[in-house]
Amino acid sequence: SIEMNVMRVNLIYGMLSTIRNNINNSGKGTPLKLFEIGKVFNHNGNGYSEENHLCFALCGKNDFQSFDAKEKDFDYFDIKGELEMFLSKMNLESLKLFYYNSSESDGSKTDLVLSDKVIGNIYIISKELLKLFDIDDEVFLVELKIDEVLSLTGDSIKYKEISKFPPVKRDLALIVKKDIKFSEIKEAIKSSGGEYL
């Protein structure tokens, strides 16, 4: 339908376009770690449903310097590590992975399952699709149903407002009698400094 031609069904193609633009501006092999949050739409028979998705991707040279300093490209384990780190920050760590090749994704696809819900996928984008976007480097991409992910966190994540008072560091020089101990000075400062010290 005409509507579905202008409504996004995933964030993959927009991300590939962004990767291509970055490569054109910065050169092949440039380490790219990109993300986008946006709405996608699905036809469900009676109408359209919309979901909030999070997409992030890796492409190019791995910017992590190991002790042997050998240059290497990003790979599947790098994107999996980024995903696991993201989920661990949300106290979601019992992730199950189901791998298969998919014509839908034009490459390899991994279902991401948490609490028996498919919360998203990891994609290794096929060479054919990369060629359409004029991308030579491999692209590894995660797309998550962010509303599903947030529903699984329950009350485990609490937001605490960032202090309105930025840290201020000062060097202090004090002149005291020789018999005064450091512990006495420290205790005097702590007891009178207030909650922001």
Side-chain angles (χ1 to χ4, degrees):
S1 71
I2 292 172
E3 292 93 347
M4 289 309 288
N5 286 336
V6 294
M7 295 164 74
R8 296 188 297 186
V9 296
N10 62 52
L11 300 181
I12 296 172
Y13 303 114
M15 180 60 75
L16 291 174
S17 181
T18 301
I19 288 170
R20 179 192 57 215
N21 293 340
N22 274 270
I23 289 171
N24 288 344
N25 288 328
S26 304
K28 187 178 178 299
T30 301
L32 295 176
K33 292 181 175 181
L34 304 169
F35 79 94
E36 178 186 2
I37 298 173
K39 290 191 183 301
V40 301
F41 300 87
N42 295 299
H43 194 272
N44 58 16
N46 302 322
Y48 301 102
S49 62
E50 64 179 57
E51 294 178 336
N52 293 302
H53 281 203
L54 164 66
C55 179
F56 55 91
L58 301 179
C59 178
K61 297 293 180 196
N62 191 328
D63 55 352
F64 174 75
Q65 289 294 317
S66 61
F67 69 92
D68 57 6
K70 286 182 183 168
E71 193 174 59
K72 76 177 200 67
D73 292 340
F74 285 120
D75 60 26
Y76 181 86
F77 298 102
D78 294 315
I79 195 76
K80 183 172 171 279
E82 295 283 345
L83 168 67
E84 288 169 343
M85 185 180 298
F86 172 75
L87 292 175
S88 75
K89 299 288 186 190
M90 305 177 84
N91 298 325
L92 298 173
E93 296 181 352
S94 56
L95 185 69
K96 293 179 185 170
L97 305 176
F98 297 92
Y99 308 84
Y100 54 95
N101 288 325
S102 167
S103 57
E104 174 199 328
S105 66
D106 293 305
S108 297
K109 179 179 176 182
T110 304
D111 279 351
L112 307 171
V113 179
L114 264 174
S115 300
D116 298 323
K117 288 184 179 180
V118 177
I119 60 159
N121 301 97
I122 300 176
Y123 298 93
I124 304 174
I125 305 300
S126 71
K127 289 191 177 5
E128 292 75 23
L129 186 53
L130 292 176
K131 191 172 182 182
L132 285 176
F133 282 85
D134 200 25
I135 298 171
D136 293 329
D137 296 319
E138 280 194 286
V139 173
F140 304 91
L141 184 147
V142 168
E143 186 161 5
L144 293 174
K145 300 173 184 180
I146 200 66
D147 295 326
E148 292 272 12
V149 172
L150 292 174
S151 74
L152 295 171
T153 62
D155 295 326
S156 65
I157 295 180
K158 303 288 185 194
Y159 170 74
K160 185 177 179 184
E161 186 179 4
I162 296 169
S163 172
K164 294 179 178 70
F165 307 104
V168 177
K169 295 182 180 178
R170 294 277 188 267
D171 279 334
L172 298 177
L174 304 176
I175 299 173
V176 296
K177 293 181 180 177
K178 282 186 178 181
D179 59 344
I180 300 288
K181 295 181 181 143
F182 168 73
S183 58
E184 295 175 80
I185 299 171
K186 180 180 173 186
E187 191 51 47
I189 292 172
K190 282 179 73 178
S191 63
S192 61
E195 75 176 291
Y196 295 112
L197 178 67

